Amino acid sequence: MRTWLGIPLLVIGSMIGIGGLGLLAVGSPTELFSAMFGVGAAMGVLTSRNIAWRASWQRHGLRWPYLIAVVAAGVALDGVELPSGLAVAIGVPCLLLLVRTLRQLQTVDPDGGCAETRDLISST
């Protein structure tokens, strides 16, 4: 479950870094958009359905408030500019950690079968 908490933040950090790579070449700052945080929250929703929650209250009492807080942070930070070097320094490790996390994410669905989360990124 703790791994799941980092997924939205890693998605956001990865998008900041990817955007910063292109802007680093022209020396322009990287701007944060609320849509980045929305995508991070969406990834949280997608991956949270396969998490083996320890208690039933966690599925509703932890999952939704956390993801709403991620979206609210996106609204609050919309338009903030970061130096592109900082964006890349944040984003590249986030991207690598996100790929590693999604590949290793092993959860169990309620039926006891294999989780579908690994299907989000197929290894071809």
Side-chain angles (χ1 to χ4, degrees):
M1 181 178 72
R2 285 177 273 184
T3 302
W4 171 79
L5 291 170
I7 289 175
L9 301 177
L10 291 173
V11 169
I12 295 164
S14 298
M15 288 191 296
I16 291 170
I18 291 169
L21 277 173
L23 295 172
L24 186 62
V26 295
S28 179
T30 303
E31 187 174 349
L32 299 180
F33 297 103
S34 59
M36 293 176 175
F37 291 80
V39 171
M43 280 297 294
V45 169
L46 286 174
T47 56
S48 70
R49 71 185 194 101
N50 292 321
I51 298 298
W53 299 94
R54 292 186 181 151
S56 62
W57 68 267
Q58 291 176 335
R59 180 173 291 277
H60 301 291
L62 178 63
R63 175 175 66 164
W64 295 115
Y66 174 67
L67 296 174
I68 290 170
V70 169
V71 171
V75 171
L77 295 173
D78 187 42
V80 172
E81 293 182 347
L82 297 174
S84 291
L86 177 62
V88 171
I90 291 170
V92 171
C94 283
L95 181 62
L96 297 173
L97 190 56
L98 177 66
V99 170
R100 181 175 168 257
T101 301
L102 288 177
R103 285 187 182 267
Q104 293 181 351
L105 188 63
Q106 295 180 2
T107 58
V108 179
D109 63 4
D111 299 328
C114 294
E116 298 170 8
T117 305
R118 297 190 115 207
D119 295 336
L120 288 175
I121 55 170
S122 61
S123 53
T124 55

